[in-house]
Amino acid sequence: MPVTKCRHIFFLTLLTFTLTTALPPIIKIGAIFTQEEKDSSTELAFKYAVYRINRDKTLLPKTTLVYDIQYVPKDDSFHASKKACQQVQDGVQAVFGPSDPLLGAHIHSICDALDIPHLESRLDLDSEYKEFSINLHPAQTLLNNAFYDVIDFLNWTRVAIIYEEDYGLIKLRELVRSPGQREVEIHIRQADPDSYRSVLKEVKTKEIHNLIVDTRPENMHHFLRGILQLQMNDYKYHYLFTSFDIETFDLEDFKYNFVNMTAFRMVDAEDVNVRQVLEDMQRFQPTGHSPLNKTSVIQAGPALMYDSVLVFAVGLQTLEQSHSLVPANVSCDAEMPWDGGLSLINYINSVELKGLSGPIEFKEGRRIQFKLDLLKLKQHSLVKVGEWSPATGVNISDRAAFFDSGSMNVTLVVITILETPYVMIKEEENTTSQKYEGFCIDLLREIANMVGFEYQIQLVPDGKYGVFDHETGEWNGIVRQLMDKKADLAVGSMTINYARESVIDFTKPFMNLGISILFKVPTSAPTRLFSFMNPLAVEIWLYVLAAYVLVSITMFIVARFSPYEWHNPHPCELENDLVENQFSLANSFWFTIGTLMQQGSDLNPKATSTRIVGGIWWFFTLIIISSYTANLAAFLTVERMITPIENAEDLAGQTDISYGTLDSGSTMTFFRDSMIETYKKMWRFMENKKPSVFVPTYEEGIRRVLEGNYAFLMESTMLDYIVQRDCNLTQIGGLLDSKGYGIATPMGSPWRDKISLAILELQEKGEIQMLYDKWWKNPGDTCTRNEKGKESKANALGVDNIGGVFVVLLCGLAIAVIVAIFEFCYNSKKITKLERRVASAPHQSLCAEMLEELCFALRCRGSRQRPALKRQCSKCLPGTTYVPATFDLPPPVNNGLRSQRSSMAVSLEVPPDLHGHTPSCDLDHRP
């Protein structure tokens, strides 16, 4: 009978093994996760815990844990109950999860009915005792005590509580109840990702600076974004988060703003044992995922799940030392409880150990021993500033971390460049140190006082603002320093443009400007002696002269043709039958010139034809003289300037005047990258011009402009400052573009938004305009410029303007004198020849005759009368002498007018001489 013998040996061996081993070789455990938790860090932490326990030969050396994982829809309690019953029927000796409160309550009811241990790691708001439940999550009552201790330490009097889920208010109900020893004003608001912004805006409007935030971890980034959008990332605000996972949030935008962010953590990743477990856990990736985040920090949920499996294993180990464990053989249908469940739950409830979440100890299934690390966000990272435990309460190790926000002893490195009037060196007496002054220095001082920081000013080594070099692919100047994080701010006349904004950040612009042209003041047009002729063009003067001649000749011809212009000069003399015409050629020219000069003459046209000629000429002179007079005022009172260029198009269209920009500046970048044809043409000219038209400093550009034949393209604000102080310089044309000056910061700097808010506030208060007037329009520094505005008076006319009129007058007088002398000489010679014809008349030489006539003309008290012929005879007779004269009349003319010869006696009354004698003589006189 060898077979029967073998059977007896087998049963004997099995009995011996059962008596010496209290635990079965395989213990099956079940886990229920929601479908959202599939392959999550919580599931991976559960699997890793089972893996680590099975690998540890000191914990359960002869027992292997086998898990069964089931996934259920969230909020589907019926489906979850079926999955739990299925696991119970399969013989699981403990159930883990789920994390959902509703599902967890249903699973616990099944486990409690069948006496199967139920291990949870979720927040349970039910305060009733649960016999077969072990929860590793700290009770909310204890957590509220921890939050209250922090509030009491910070001495908060006004608090806003923002919660997301409905049970959030139940979680914090102890905080809502105001403690008796101190009054706390609490504002409660429920919010979700869609209403975070509006709720935060309301809190900001009410000027509540202390907030308790209870949101889901997956929605925390929405809440943080709302803080940034509303500019609530300020040291005045203090946020206390109820989440244990603050280390897993992206707080890069809040690190350097001194935003007070405080929270508790359960997992101390700095502990050596914890770090070893986390490093080993990170290597354990059965599904390709890691239970840790990018910063190698595990969340509280997975850590508690890991500890729950570890607590179960330690409970089994304790049970093994005194009792045996019979595998469960129960069913939801039979409703027969498991006999070994009560013993197992009691041993688990008595476990004391240190897990990933700190020290663990239970009382009636609830965790009563744990340690929370208090974290505070500082400039570079989250740091531990204290601890809290149920036994000792809060213990703050770094009290200064909470109370240095109001007086932040932060010194920022501010880089700048010397540029008048933005940043200038101020040399003080009795000191060798350099201090700075200027518009940007005053602005920086105001911003530092508003934001709350100290600063140290440094000059950029290469003295450039920063431009991208396409050949080397590198930036220089201030931009390079900020990119290398060698400075925190850059203050100066630094233009905001696309290229710079792509590598560094800028605040809101504190000054708007554009590119303009600086040029030397054009010289005034040289005043001409005959500038009074400028109102009419040269061709108009020639046309007027031609019209004058034409009208004069026309008047002469028309008057001779018209019979109504002939008249008898002596109508009373019956014997005189002669007619004459007043419009001789000379009189016609005199009539026309007199009318043109608006003076008229004693010649009046009588015929209709001549009156038409005169009337149309008067109309012509009316228009000409009126136009001349109207234009004369403008030409004599408005200063004419010789301006070779008027705008950028004129500058681009010529090559005689050089033009350039500041080297490695935004203006240079503007022309280099511009797609406008005019500016592209200007850039080609500047790039190829030798010697170089680019200047290293503004001072060099101004010097070249003053030397002449050079135009400097620069920013309008600096141009305005220079023009205000040097009357030899002026602005040509308008602005070529529109941009602004801003304060530059490294990419992602937290100071940008705070400084932008300060700039906007300074602009609204008008303080930036006051600083501008201080440095730009100081009366002691500006030059006196004769501006001719719309309301300015006309310049007084000087000799340079109307001196030509006097020249014309003098020339006319000179010509008249010359003509008079000519007439005088001619008349003297004529008289001399006439005397020689008369034998009885005394003879005088021409010189004697001229001398005698000159003496008579220059006699100051001379008589107004003089004899027609001075010497009639050699013997003077008293009384009146009648001299018969025979006139030879001209023959009849062809115009039909009657003419005749007649003789008449002319009575000549000779005035007495100086002795009272009246000379008398006979002389054949032909007038």
Side-chain angles (χ1 to χ4, degrees):
M1 301 291 174
V3 176
T4 304
K5 185 177 181 179
C6 290
R7 287 181 178 176
H8 286 291
I9 295 174
F10 173 76
F11 285 112
L12 182 62
T13 304
L14 181 62
L15 178 62
T16 305
F17 177 81
T18 304
L19 293 176
T20 58
T21 305
L23 295 179
I26 296 177
I27 295 180
K28 194 171 184 179
I29 58 178
I32 298 177
F33 298 107
T34 62
Q35 292 180 348
E36 290 80 4
E37 292 177 326
K38 186 176 183 179
D39 294 334
S40 65
S41 57
T42 303
E43 181 183 352
L44 293 176
F46 173 79
K47 293 179 178 179
Y48 171 75
V50 174
Y51 163 77
R52 185 178 179 88
I53 292 171
N54 291 333
R55 195 178 59 176
D56 189 356
K57 301 302 180 181
T58 62
L59 185 60
L60 297 175
K62 299 178 181 180
T63 303
T64 302
L65 298 181
V66 178
Y67 58 80
D68 175 40
I69 297 177
Q70 298 292 331
Y71 304 100
V72 297
K74 187 177 181 181
D75 299 332
D76 189 351
S77 58
F78 175 76
H79 194 73
S81 301
K82 290 180 61 177
K83 292 291 185 181
C85 290
Q86 180 180 350
Q87 289 182 338
V88 169
Q89 190 173 359
D90 291 341
V92 297
Q93 299 176 3
V95 177
F96 295 83
S99 61
D100 184 78
L102 180 62
L103 299 182
H106 285 80
I107 300 301
H108 174 71
S109 64
I110 296 175
C111 294
D112 185 57
L114 300 177
D115 289 355
I116 297 177
H118 182 209
L119 288 88
E120 298 179 281
S121 58
R122 64 177 178 88
L123 176 62
D124 188 5
L125 299 179
D126 190 0
S127 59
E128 296 182 358
Y129 169 66
K130 298 178 180 179
E131 185 177 3
F132 285 88
S133 174
I134 300 293
N135 196 336
L136 275 80
H137 195 285
Q140 186 63 40
T141 304
L142 298 178
L143 294 179
N144 288 336
N145 293 335
F147 294 140
Y148 173 75
D149 289 344
V150 174
I151 294 175
D152 186 61
F153 170 75
L154 296 175
N155 196 23
W156 285 2
T157 57
R158 299 184 69 202
V159 183
I161 298 179
I162 301 177
Y163 66 95
E164 182 173 345
E165 296 181 328
D166 294 335
Y167 66 89
L169 182 60
I170 304 176
K171 289 169 52 178
L172 305 174
R173 61 180 177 267
E174 283 81 5
L175 292 178
V176 175
R177 300 168 185 170
S178 177
Q181 67 271 20
R182 184 167 54 87
E183 291 294 333
V184 179
E185 180 183 347
I186 297 180
H187 299 261
I188 305 174
R189 294 291 182 272
Q190 185 176 11
D192 53 32
D194 297 329
S195 60
Y196 282 152
R197 182 182 175 90
S198 60
V199 172
L200 286 173
K201 187 176 182 180
E202 180 184 355
V203 172
K204 182 179 181 181
T205 304
K206 293 182 178 180
E207 296 184 354
I208 302 175
H209 298 145
N210 303 316
L211 295 89
I212 298 178
V213 183
D214 181 62
T215 62
R216 296 174 61 87
E218 56 267 25
N219 295 333
M220 184 60 68
H221 65 282
H222 295 290
F223 184 83
L224 297 177
R225 187 189 309 142
I227 294 177
L228 292 175
Q229 291 174 347
L230 293 174
Q231 303 295 330
M232 296 176 68
N233 55 333
D234 196 292
Y235 67 89
K236 296 183 295 184
Y237 292 94
H238 199 144
Y239 301 92
L240 177 59
F241 295 98
T242 61
S243 173
F244 296 136
D245 302 325
I246 189 173
E247 289 181 297
T248 63
F249 302 148
D250 184 10
L251 303 178
E252 188 67 27
D253 295 330
F254 302 89
K255 288 182 179 179
Y256 304 96
N257 281 38
F258 301 94
V259 182
N260 292 294
M261 289 187 171
T262 307
F264 289 109
R265 73 177 178 187
M266 298 192 67
V267 181
D268 185 6
E270 299 174 0
D271 186 88
V272 177
N273 296 327
V274 174
R275 175 56 57 186
Q276 290 178 353
V277 174
L278 294 181
E279 290 177 355
D280 188 51
M281 185 184 296
Q282 194 169 13
R283 290 191 293 267
F284 176 77
Q285 300 180 16
T287 58
H289 299 280
S290 173
L292 309 182
N293 63 356
K294 296 180 180 179
T295 58
S296 299
V297 177
I298 192 172
Q299 293 178 334
L304 292 175
M305 177 60 72
Y306 172 87
D307 286 346
S308 64
V309 179
L310 182 62
V311 166
F312 175 75
V314 174
L316 286 177
Q317 183 187 36
T318 308
L319 175 67
E320 182 184 15
Q321 297 174 1
S322 57
H323 293 80
S324 61
L325 182 66
V326 179
N329 186 15
V330 295
S331 172
C332 293
D333 298 332
E335 298 183 3
M336 293 295 294
W338 178 34
D339 295 337
L342 183 59
S343 300
L344 179 58
I345 198 67
N346 290 332
Y347 279 102
I348 296 176
N349 199 23
S350 62
V351 170
E352 295 182 9
L353 58 85
K354 183 179 180 182
L356 292 180
S357 59
I360 301 174
E361 184 178 349
F362 301 99
K363 182 180 180 181
E364 295 181 353
R366 294 187 180 273
R367 187 171 181 177
I368 60 174
Q369 182 62 31
F370 58 91
K371 179 180 69 69
L372 300 178
D373 292 335
L374 185 61
L375 302 181
K376 172 73 167 57
L377 180 64
K378 281 198 164 185
Q379 186 170 1
H380 298 290
S381 62
L382 285 164
V383 295
K384 179 180 177 181
V385 295
E387 294 180 354
W388 189 91
S389 65
T392 61
V394 65
N395 181 20
I396 305 298
S397 59
D398 186 5
R399 301 176 66 91
F402 294 96
F403 300 107
D404 64 348
S405 58
S407 58
M408 295 179 296
N409 189 16
V410 182
T411 301
L412 302 182
V413 177
V414 179
I415 194 168
T416 186
I417 187 172
L418 293 178
E419 199 67 71
T420 306
Y422 300 98
V423 180
M424 299 176 289
I425 295 179
K426 179 181 180 182
E427 298 290 348
E428 294 187 350
E429 297 180 359
N430 302 326
T431 181
T432 58
S433 61
Q434 289 184 346
K435 291 192 175 181
Y436 301 94
E437 63 177 357
F439 173 82
C440 288
I441 301 300
D442 291 348
L443 179 63
L444 177 62
R445 185 182 304 112
E446 295 291 336
I447 293 175
N449 293 333
M450 296 176 63
V451 177
F453 63 85
E454 301 294 331
Y455 56 88
Q456 178 184 0
I457 299 178
Q458 297 179 1
L459 297 179
V460 62
D462 58 1
K464 299 181 183 298
Y465 288 101
V467 68
F468 182 75
D469 191 343
H470 291 282
E471 296 180 357
T472 61
E474 296 290 336
W475 286 84
N476 60 5
I478 292 178
V479 178
R480 180 79 267 167
Q481 298 293 313
L482 293 176
M483 292 175 62
D484 295 341
K485 301 296 179 64
K486 295 182 179 179
D488 299 304
L489 301 176
V491 179
S493 55
M494 193 166 183
T495 307
I496 304 173
N497 58 25
Y498 171 78
R500 292 174 179 172
E501 188 73 41
S502 61
V503 293
I504 60 176
D505 284 341
F506 280 95
T507 64
K508 300 291 184 182
F510 59 83
M511 184 178 292
N512 295 316
L513 62 146
I515 299 175
S516 191
I517 304 172
L518 179 68
F519 197 61
K520 190 175 181 181
V521 173
T523 58
S524 301
T527 55
R528 296 187 303 171
L529 196 60
F530 295 94
S531 60
F532 64 89
M533 299 185 67
N534 290 339
L536 298 181
V538 176
E539 56 270 19
I540 298 299
W541 285 113
L542 294 178
Y543 292 156
V544 170
L545 179 60
Y548 164 68
V549 175
L550 177 62
V551 171
S552 299
I553 296 176
T554 302
M555 178 64 77
F556 170 71
I557 296 175
V558 171
R560 294 201 48 97
F561 270 93
S562 177
Y564 298 103
E565 286 295 338
W566 295 87
H567 67 281
N568 186 354
H570 303 287
C572 296
E573 298 179 6
L574 300 177
E575 297 181 358
N576 188 2
D577 197 16
L578 296 176
V579 292
E580 62 182 21
N581 194 325
Q582 61 179 344
F583 284 101
S584 62
L585 188 60
N587 286 349
S588 298
F589 276 94
W590 174 250
F591 171 81
T592 310
I593 196 64
T595 306
L596 181 62
M597 298 301 176
Q598 302 290 295
Q599 298 300 319
S601 65
D602 56 350
L603 301 174
N604 295 318
K606 297 180 179 57
T608 302
S609 57
T610 54
R611 288 181 177 179
I612 293 175
V613 174
I616 200 66
W617 172 248
W618 293 342
F619 176 77
F620 172 80
T621 57
L622 174 66
I623 301 302
I624 292 296
I625 297 302
S626 299
S627 301
Y628 174 82
T629 305
N631 208 19
L632 179 64
F635 271 85
L636 295 184
T637 57
V638 178
E639 184 179 4
R640 299 292 175 175
M641 310 293 286
I642 298 178
T643 306
I645 55 175
E646 296 289 346
N647 46 45
E649 286 72 15
D650 295 343
L651 203 59
Q654 54 81 46
T655 56
D656 296 334
I657 300 176
S658 300
Y659 49 91
T661 67
L662 187 69
D663 190 18
S664 298
S666 61
T667 305
M668 174 181 173
T669 306
F670 168 77
F671 283 98
R672 185 191 65 187
D673 301 335
S674 178
M675 300 304 295
I676 301 176
E677 188 59 35
T678 300
Y679 302 152
K680 291 170 63 177
K681 182 178 180 181
M682 296 175 67
W683 171 249
R684 289 192 296 267
F685 173 85
M686 291 186 287
E687 188 179 24
N688 299 324
K689 184 68 175 179
K690 300 298 179 182
S692 176
V693 293
F694 300 108
V695 295
T697 61
Y698 277 121
E699 288 75 12
E700 177 66 19
I702 296 169
R703 184 189 62 81
R704 294 186 62 173
V705 172
L706 290 173
E707 290 177 355
N709 205 35
Y710 181 80
F712 189 37
L713 298 161
M714 61 188 304
E715 290 160 347
S716 58
T717 51
M718 191 65 187
L719 186 147
D720 186 25
Y721 178 84
I722 296 169
V723 169
Q724 291 282 348
R725 283 153 179 77
D726 194 337
C727 293
N728 293 322
L729 299 174
T730 186
Q731 176 180 343
I732 299 296
L735 301 182
L736 305 186
D737 67 340
S738 178
K739 50 192 174 184
Y741 285 153
I743 296 178
T745 64
M747 183 71 76
S749 172
W751 296 103
R752 181 189 65 175
D753 295 335
K754 302 176 70 61
I755 295 176
S756 294
L757 286 177
I759 289 174
L760 293 177
E761 184 175 353
L762 291 174
Q763 287 178 339
E764 292 177 358
K765 292 180 179 179
E767 295 187 15
I768 292 183
Q769 183 61 40
M770 293 171 61
L771 292 178
Y772 181 86
D773 295 338
K774 171 186 175 182
W775 290 102
W776 264 259
K777 301 179 181 180
N778 187 0
D781 298 335
T782 56
C783 67
T784 303
R785 189 184 302 270
N786 294 326
E787 298 290 346
K788 299 177 177 60
K790 294 182 179 180
E791 298 179 358
S792 61
K793 296 181 179 179
N795 294 335
L797 299 179
V799 177
D800 294 338
N801 301 107
I802 58 174
V805 178
F806 295 93
V807 174
V808 172
L809 176 61
L810 294 177
C811 292
L813 295 177
I815 293 173
V817 171
I818 294 173
V819 173
I821 293 174
F822 175 77
E823 292 177 344
F824 175 77
C825 297
Y826 177 77
N827 186 58
S828 299
K829 184 176 180 181
K830 181 178 180 182
I831 293 177
T832 302
K833 290 182 179 179
L834 185 59
E835 290 178 347
R836 289 177 181 176
R837 295 179 187 173
V838 181
S840 60
H843 297 280
Q844 288 188 172
S845 64
L846 177 61
C847 292
E849 182 71 24
M850 293 178 63
L851 182 59
E852 184 177 355
E853 292 289 341
L854 182 62
C855 291
F856 179 82
L858 296 178
R859 187 178 301 170
C860 295
R861 301 183 61 183
S863 175
R864 296 175 59 189
Q865 298 179 353
R866 59 174 294 179
L869 296 175
K870 294 181 295 181
R871 291 170 295 279
Q872 301 295 336
C873 58
S874 60
K875 183 179 179 180
C876 296
L877 299 176
T880 302
T881 304
Y882 293 91
V883 182
T886 303
F887 292 88
D888 297 331
L889 297 176
V893 294
N894 299 327
N895 56 7
L897 297 178
R898 186 167 46 90
S899 63
Q900 62 179 3
R901 294 177 57 92
S902 63
S903 298
M904 61 182 301
V906 179
S907 174
L908 297 176
E909 181 178 354
V910 181
D913 58 4
L914 295 176
H915 302 286
H917 301 96
T918 300
S920 178
C921 62
D922 296 332
L923 180 64
D924 186 13
H925 176 67
R926 299 178 181 272

